[in-house]
Amino acid sequence: MSGMPRMNTLTTKPADQKATVGVEGLHKRDKLPTQELVKEDAVSTVPSSTFKGDWVLFHPVYTQEELKSVDVLHREAKSVSDKIAWTFVRLLRWGFDLASGYRHKPLPPNYKNMSLEALRKGGYIMNEKQWLRRILFLESIAGVPGMVAATLRHLKSLRVMKRDSGWIHTLLEEAENERMHLMTFMVLRKPGIIFRAMVIGAQGVFYNAFFFCYLLSPRTCHRFVGHLEEEAVLTYSRCIDEVEAGRLPNWSELPAPEIAKDYWRLESNAKLLDVLYAVRSDESTHRFVNHSLANLKKHDINPFALREPDMTVKGKKVAFERDEAEQFVKESHQILDQKRQ
């Protein structure tokens, strides 16, 4: 064996490298629909092509029906804490728009007779570079709340020496999912030093602010994230509309990055548009999960610890109310009991 070259297994796999077998082996959604996992478990079917990657935490893989099932939704603020959360989201959205140069004016009545250049000069649409700057800035911040909340709940579990009722893993999954969005779009552009400095500053302020806010009121923080994800769904919906309308021509036929094919189990001929649909579905999941968690009481168990509803629920409904979450938990246990029989 000494004559064989040694491979450095500690080096990071490039984001555009072909999908390979990861440490976890087959992802549980790589099983065919005829095997153990079926639709009644709220587990989507997957493409016939088999992709295997080193993604450790659970993340959804969507059917075409699910990808098209996402609506732009908004939950009206009801309590004082809800109104506080919504106010801070609007403030943060203003800051994001300013920092990333994002703008979205309604198209003029005669837009069909205007060229792309004229629409861009008028501030009605953005080009691919502007959209990418917006997405990269958004995703570099979006991965913070899940990690902060998971960290604080993890530390609390250690201090009080009690289980966490299933919240930690869901929050970690959210953080990793948002990070994978950033890793995917980083393939398309490597930001310069000024942009990176802005991200460092924004992340530093946001992380610490969210940390102290979560100590004071986890419920308000989850409501805040739910509203933030509403804005993310809106942003990606607008981007998808722009691509499908031909107003982002460089992205119309752009192949999906390999990292995205691996992560979302996309077909080998997938396009960037397919990635945008998958990312929007992820954001819809975060919207639904965080609004649902904000509806729970302090010591309630996480209804998504065992399974999540599919996108035909998460994309059409803004959240579970507390009684709906309780019923969902009961159904999850019934499914598990049936599997054991």
Side-chain angles (χ1 to χ4, degrees):
M1 298 294 291
S2 60
M4 297 180 63
R6 287 189 64 184
M7 296 181 63
N8 186 353
T9 59
L10 299 180
T11 55
T12 301
K13 183 172 72 173
D16 57 351
Q17 182 176 318
K18 295 283 186 181
T20 57
V21 178
V23 294
E24 65 164 344
L26 282 171
H27 189 282
K28 70 177 182 179
R29 295 197 176 208
D30 288 332
K31 295 184 178 182
L32 296 177
T34 55
Q35 292 180 280
E36 181 182 354
L37 298 178
V38 294
K39 192 62 180 177
E40 66 179 332
D41 295 314
V43 175
S44 308
T45 54
V46 297
S48 56
S49 302
T50 300
F51 288 94
K52 299 175 283 295
D54 52 355
W55 318 117
V56 179
L57 296 176
F58 165 83
H59 60 276
V61 176
Y62 307 104
T63 65
Q64 285 300 312
E65 178 188 7
E66 289 177 306
L67 293 173
K68 303 291 184 177
S69 297
V70 176
D71 290 341
V72 174
L73 302 174
H74 171 63
R75 183 188 182 279
E76 293 297 329
K78 300 176 182 179
S79 65
V80 173
S81 64
D82 290 351
K83 292 177 181 178
I84 292 174
W86 176 235
T87 299
F88 274 104
V89 166
R90 299 306 300 168
L91 181 62
L92 189 63
R93 173 67 192 251
W94 174 83
F96 277 175
D97 291 351
L98 181 65
S100 63
Y102 178 82
R103 59 184 184 275
H104 195 276
K105 292 168 55 177
L107 293 172
N110 63 332
Y111 74 93
K112 292 184 178 179
N113 299 323
M114 299 175 65
S115 66
L116 285 179
E117 183 179 358
L119 288 171
R120 287 170 179 169
K121 282 186 176 180
Y124 298 107
I125 62 174
M126 300 192 298
N127 59 31
E128 292 85 352
K129 183 177 179 179
Q130 291 169 320
W131 268 109
L132 199 52
R133 181 171 61 229
R134 165 68 175 186
I135 291 171
L136 289 174
F137 194 83
L138 174 68
E139 298 299 352
S140 67
I141 304 301
V144 171
M147 182 59 67
V148 172
T151 298
L152 287 173
R153 298 191 73 95
H154 172 77
L155 294 175
K156 181 180 179 180
S157 178
L158 295 177
R159 289 195 307 273
V160 301
M161 301 180 186
K162 291 183 180 179
R163 298 180 67 177
D164 185 62
S165 300
W167 289 56
I168 295 174
H169 281 185
T170 294
L171 296 169
L172 287 174
E173 288 160 6
E174 177 182 312
E176 182 184 68
N177 182 252
E178 297 286 13
R179 182 175 61 85
M180 292 311 303
H181 294 174
L182 179 64
M183 296 300 102
T184 295
F185 289 105
M186 282 284 291
V187 175
L188 304 180
R189 180 190 175 192
K190 300 296 187 290
I193 188 170
I194 296 178
F195 186 90
R196 291 174 182 270
M198 291 173 61
V199 168
I200 291 173
Q203 188 183 93
V205 172
F206 185 54
Y207 183 99
N208 287 285
F210 195 83
F211 181 94
F212 287 109
C213 288
Y214 202 89
L215 288 174
L216 296 174
S217 178
R219 181 182 181 277
T220 303
C221 288
H222 285 294
R223 185 72 70 208
F224 169 86
V225 176
H227 285 309
L228 194 64
E229 298 298 351
E230 292 174 2
E231 297 297 316
V233 171
L234 176 61
T235 295
Y236 281 108
S237 294
R238 287 173 172 171
C239 188
I240 289 171
D241 290 342
E242 295 288 88
V243 174
E244 292 184 331
R247 291 191 282 268
L248 294 171
N250 293 336
W251 283 5
S252 296
E253 296 299 321
L254 188 66
E258 289 296 331
I259 190 174
K261 295 178 186 177
D262 188 6
Y263 186 69
W264 283 286
R265 271 57 177 176
L266 302 178
E267 296 285 2
S268 59
N269 61 347
K271 305 297 183 184
L272 182 64
L273 181 61
D274 299 308
V275 177
L276 292 171
Y277 268 107
V279 172
R280 185 183 68 166
S281 294
D282 286 345
E283 306 295 8
S284 179
T285 294
H286 303 324
R287 177 185 68 188
F288 182 87
V289 167
N290 279 279
H291 274 316
S292 297
L293 294 179
N295 290 336
L296 301 181
K297 292 186 177 180
K298 184 176 181 180
H299 298 295
D300 285 343
I301 68 169
N302 170 22
F304 312 112
L306 298 177
R307 67 183 180 115
E308 288 184 8
D310 64 26
M311 194 51 58
T312 57
V313 175
K314 294 184 292 187
K316 299 293 184 182
K317 186 179 178 67
V318 74
F320 277 154
E321 296 300 325
R322 187 167 181 261
D323 58 337
E324 293 175 310
E326 183 180 8
Q327 180 60 34
F328 187 75
V329 171
K330 291 179 180 178
E331 293 172 358
S332 298
H333 284 294
Q334 290 172 359
I335 291 172
L336 286 176
D337 291 339
Q338 292 172 1
K339 292 295 182 182
R340 294 191 186 102
Q341 293 174 359

